[in-house]
Amino acid sequence: MSICAYRDGVASPSRALLFDIGVTVAVGAVIAVSISVATESGSRPVDAGAYVLGVAMALPLLVRRRWPLAVLLVISVLLFGYYTVYPGFAPSPVLAVPLYTAALAGRLGWAIGVPTFYFSVGYLAVSVKRSDPYITFAGFLPHIALCAVVVLLAEVIRSRRALAEETQERLRQAEQDRERESARRVAEERVRISRELHDTVAHSMATITVQAGSALHVLGDRPDDVRTALTAIRDTSRGALQELRATLGVLRDGAESQSYGSAGLDRLPALVDAVRAAGVPVTLHVTGRVVPLEPPADHTAYRILQESLTNVLRHGGTEVRARIRMAYDPMGLAIEVTDDGAGGSGPLGEEGGHGLGGMRERAESVGGTLTAGPRPGGGFVVSARLPGRAR
């Protein structure tokens, strides 16, 4: 019925109004014809008042979309009033449209209860006047079937609309989930890239700063030491530029993050030599059977050692010494970096920079743990535990 006035599930105001006017006129005409041919006896014959009531029963259909239940109840009351005065006729032509509208609006109980009441009362009233109840019921059956079909049609359409709305909502939620997941991945990628840049630049610049200071200090007194310092500056700068190019290539080309995570423990000897060349004595002690880690864990282990030694260069003082302990076991790798210098002033995450927090994030990203803080006897210690396989 009224579904015809809808386009893509939504009725335009002008079309809906024109459609409802047409429905009201059509129902009014059907009511007028039903009144004129009514055969049931009433308290008085049909007159102008009967047709006025017929028009009154049709007019509420103009606002049926806005107040579907109220329109059904008003028409039902008017119809009942008509039956008490004038000759009766079948209620289905009057109730069909408001029943459909009420059921479509989700008022299924009322849409079933109202016609049930009318047909029950009507059947009892007519059965009293007629001797054969079966013939009476046969006369009611087409009208009962019409009302049932109208209500069922409305319920089917309502269910389909509800299903369509639910589907649209699920699609909207799925789109939002995809957007949130994309934003999360972008944020994680930015954090990874920032850590790479921080670790590369911080270590390299710290080494260069120390070597440049040493070169200036011995300039003119020990030319060979100046040459060594400048060579270390050149090598450190070259390595830093290579890592920066690889990292920035991810941003430019959209490559996977693993493409710039190639630095691993195989580069540890070069890292130790660079720190030693900067003037900080470093001892390395490895225990257990050396087993290659998964690439993410291997990269994380190297970056933790790099950042720890960088902090020694930056904060340890002039006479600092560093010691690295690496213990391999079936569960993975334990790392401890200690120094006897001035060190930091607080535990992990309380200082102003991002290095210590970045080390902890790296360790957690592969399923490991990391702690750092001042040593009781002076200096600083960084302890990490990494699994044999990345999570």
Side-chain angles (χ1 to χ4, degrees):
M1 293 184 177
S2 62
I3 190 64
C4 299
Y6 284 75
R7 183 178 182 180
D8 298 331
V10 179
S12 62
S14 58
R15 290 187 62 189
L17 178 60
L18 291 175
F19 185 82
D20 288 342
I21 291 174
V23 169
T24 302
V25 172
V27 172
V30 171
I31 293 174
V33 173
S34 299
I35 292 174
S36 64
V37 298
T39 58
E40 295 294 333
S41 60
S43 58
R44 64 181 182 180
V46 172
D47 55 17
Y51 291 100
V52 170
L53 272 176
V55 173
M57 284 185 273
L59 285 178
L61 295 177
L62 292 173
V63 293
R64 64 190 177 90
R65 298 178 191 271
R66 187 169 184 180
W67 298 296
L69 180 58
V71 168
L72 174 61
L73 295 178
V74 168
I75 293 177
S76 301
V77 171
L78 291 174
L79 181 61
F80 188 81
Y82 176 91
Y83 285 157
T84 61
V85 179
Y86 296 103
F89 56 89
S92 53
V94 182
L95 296 178
V97 175
L99 285 176
Y100 172 86
T101 307
L104 193 63
R107 305 289 188 169
L108 184 61
W110 287 96
I112 295 175
V114 169
T116 300
F117 168 78
Y118 270 102
F119 287 123
S120 299
V121 173
Y123 177 76
L124 292 176
V126 175
S127 296
V128 172
K129 301 176 183 179
R130 296 179 179 176
S131 58
D132 193 341
Y134 297 104
I135 296 178
T136 302
F137 181 76
F140 274 74
L141 190 58
H143 302 284
I144 295 174
L146 174 62
C147 291
V149 169
V150 167
V151 172
L152 288 175
L153 175 63
E155 183 63 17
V156 169
I157 294 175
R158 188 186 69 83
S159 299
R160 292 189 61 181
R161 288 185 185 175
L163 178 60
E165 291 177 359
E166 182 180 357
T167 302
Q168 290 178 354
E169 178 63 19
R170 289 183 177 179
L171 291 174
R172 186 183 65 83
Q173 290 289 346
E175 181 64 25
Q176 290 181 349
D177 291 342
R178 284 193 295 268
E179 292 177 356
R180 283 194 292 266
E181 179 65 16
S182 176
R184 184 187 65 80
R185 290 182 179 178
V186 170
E188 289 180 353
E189 194 70 11
R190 290 175 60 185
V191 171
R192 282 194 292 266
I193 292 174
S194 68
R195 283 199 299 259
E196 292 296 324
L197 291 175
H198 173 273
D199 293 345
T200 300
V201 174
H203 171 74
S204 302
M205 292 302 102
T207 303
I208 289 171
T209 299
V210 173
Q211 293 287 0
S214 299
L216 290 174
H217 181 68
V218 301
L219 184 63
D221 297 332
R222 300 195 297 275
D224 291 339
D225 292 340
V226 173
R227 179 181 297 277
T228 301
L230 292 178
T231 301
I233 289 174
R234 181 197 62 190
D235 295 340
T236 302
S237 301
R238 181 181 299 163
L241 287 174
Q242 290 176 351
E243 290 199 38
L244 285 175
R245 289 193 188 101
T247 302
L248 295 176
V250 176
L251 297 176
R252 182 181 65 251
D253 302 328
E256 294 292 333
S257 60
Q258 287 80 357
S259 63
Y260 62 82
S262 58
L265 291 176
D266 59 314
R267 295 175 55 177
L268 180 58
L271 173 64
V272 171
D273 291 340
V275 176
R276 287 170 178 166
V280 176
V282 180
T283 59
L284 175 62
H285 185 60
V286 181
T287 60
R289 187 170 67 90
V290 177
V291 178
L293 303 177
E294 290 291 314
D298 185 53
H299 179 64
T300 297
Y302 175 79
R303 288 305 190 192
I304 290 174
L305 291 168
Q306 183 187 53
E307 178 63 22
S308 300
L309 294 176
T310 299
N311 289 338
V312 173
L313 288 173
R314 296 170 60 189
H315 307 299
T318 56
E319 302 297 329
V320 65
R321 291 174 298 176
R323 181 172 59 184
I324 301 173
R325 291 181 178 178
M326 300 173 59
Y328 287 89
D329 58 44
M331 300 301 295
L333 172 64
I335 299 174
E336 182 180 84
V337 182
T338 59
D339 67 75
D340 55 5
S345 58
L348 177 64
E350 291 187 2
E351 295 190 350
H354 300 285
L356 296 179
M359 285 194 294
R360 180 182 59 187
E361 291 173 357
R362 284 186 182 279
E364 292 176 350
S365 68
V366 295
T369 59
L370 185 141
T371 59
R375 298 172 62 196
F380 203 79
V381 59
V382 175
S383 299
R385 179 77 193 184
L386 302 178
R389 290 185 175 273
R391 184 171 59 187

